[in-house]
């Protein structure tokens, strides 16, 4: 490719929008924080600081433990990007590894790695996939024609498509009768006490 050959028009914008769409469907920032938290945790126990002619080695007896914790945090961060359905497990594991790194790895990579892994793990646990955008209702100019009876009864929040955790329960009886299976409502004449024998 020569210097005179222009790039394809809009190629950078198209790639940026593809990356943005990919990033929006997974806990991207949580994975990035967890990975960045693992780097100082595994680096500092093996680092040698030079202060003039003095070499300061921060090697500890738990250097292998620090390396394992740091590598596991990096792997958990990558798994948050690749497999978004393991977000709760990876988030809890990142939080636990961050807590374990305090006594094992120079106060969790001098607190920097500890805080990054802790924040990333919390973000991973808190992340939920967004609801897909709802389609706009078609406006054909008729006001009120074809309205379903359920829609006319009152506003009922519809559950998000494909998200079983946020299902809104509706009352079973729409006639207005009490839906009491225990038989203890005041309408039945019972006061809430059950016979013991």
């Amino acid at each position: 490719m020569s210097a005179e050959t222009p790039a394809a028009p809009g190629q950078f914008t198209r790639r940026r929008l593809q990356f943005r769409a990919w990033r929006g469907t997974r806990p991207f920032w949580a994975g990035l924080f967890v990975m960045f938290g693992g780097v100082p945790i595994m680096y500092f126990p093996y680092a040698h600081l030079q202060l003039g002619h003095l070499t300061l080695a921060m090697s500890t007896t738990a250097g292998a433990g620090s390396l394992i914790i740091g590598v596991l945090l990096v792997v958990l961060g990558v798994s948050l990007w690749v497999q978004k359905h393991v977000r709760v497990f990876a988030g809890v594991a990142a939080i636990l590894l961050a807590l374990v790194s305090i006594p094992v790895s120079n106060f969790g990579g001098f607190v920097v790695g500890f805080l990054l892994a802790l924040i990333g793990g919390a973000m991973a646990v808190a992340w939920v996939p967004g609801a897909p955008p709802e389609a706009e209702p078609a406006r054909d100019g008729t006001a009120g024609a074809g309205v379903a009876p359920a829609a006319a009864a009152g506003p009922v929040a519809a559950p998000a498509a494909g998200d079983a955790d946020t299902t809104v329960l509706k009352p079973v009886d729409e006639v207005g009768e009490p839906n009491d299976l225990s038989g203890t409502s005041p309408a039945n004449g019972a006061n809430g006490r059950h016979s013991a024998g």
Side-chain angles (χ1 to χ4, degrees):
M1 182 175 209
S2 67
E4 290 85 25
T5 306
Q11 181 77 9
F12 176 74
T13 304
R14 187 168 58 97
R15 294 291 182 200
R16 185 181 58 84
L17 291 176
Q18 285 176 344
F19 174 71
R20 186 176 180 183
W22 174 84
R23 188 185 71 199
T25 61
R26 60 201 70 246
F28 176 80
W29 294 108
L32 192 67
F33 271 66
V34 170
M35 280 191 287
F36 281 167
V39 171
I41 289 174
M42 71 176 144
Y43 172 73
F44 284 134
Y46 295 102
H48 297 288
L49 295 177
Q50 293 281 17
L51 299 173
H53 294 288
L54 180 67
T55 301
L56 179 64
M58 292 184 288
S59 300
T60 62
T61 58
S66 301
L67 182 65
I68 290 171
I69 290 172
V71 168
L72 284 175
L73 283 171
V74 170
V75 168
L76 286 172
V78 171
S79 71
L80 282 170
W81 285 358
V82 178
Q83 299 176 351
K84 60 185 174 184
H85 61 278
V86 298
R87 66 180 171 80
V88 174
F89 168 75
V92 170
I95 290 171
L96 291 175
L97 285 171
L99 291 172
V100 168
S101 74
I102 290 175
V104 171
S105 174
N106 294 334
F107 297 109
F110 294 118
V111 184
V112 174
F114 163 73
L115 287 177
L116 287 172
L118 194 68
I119 291 170
M123 288 171 64
V125 171
W127 184 84
V128 292
E134 296 180 8
E136 294 278 332
R139 305 226 181 226
D140 57 0
T142 58
V147 175
V156 176
D163 192 6
D165 293 338
T166 59
T167 303
V168 178
L169 300 176
K170 302 185 302 185
V172 176
D173 297 330
E174 295 186 13
V175 182
E177 298 175 8
N179 190 8
D180 184 26
L181 300 177
S182 65
T184 60
S185 69
N188 294 341
N191 61 1
R193 298 182 192 165
H194 297 284
S195 63

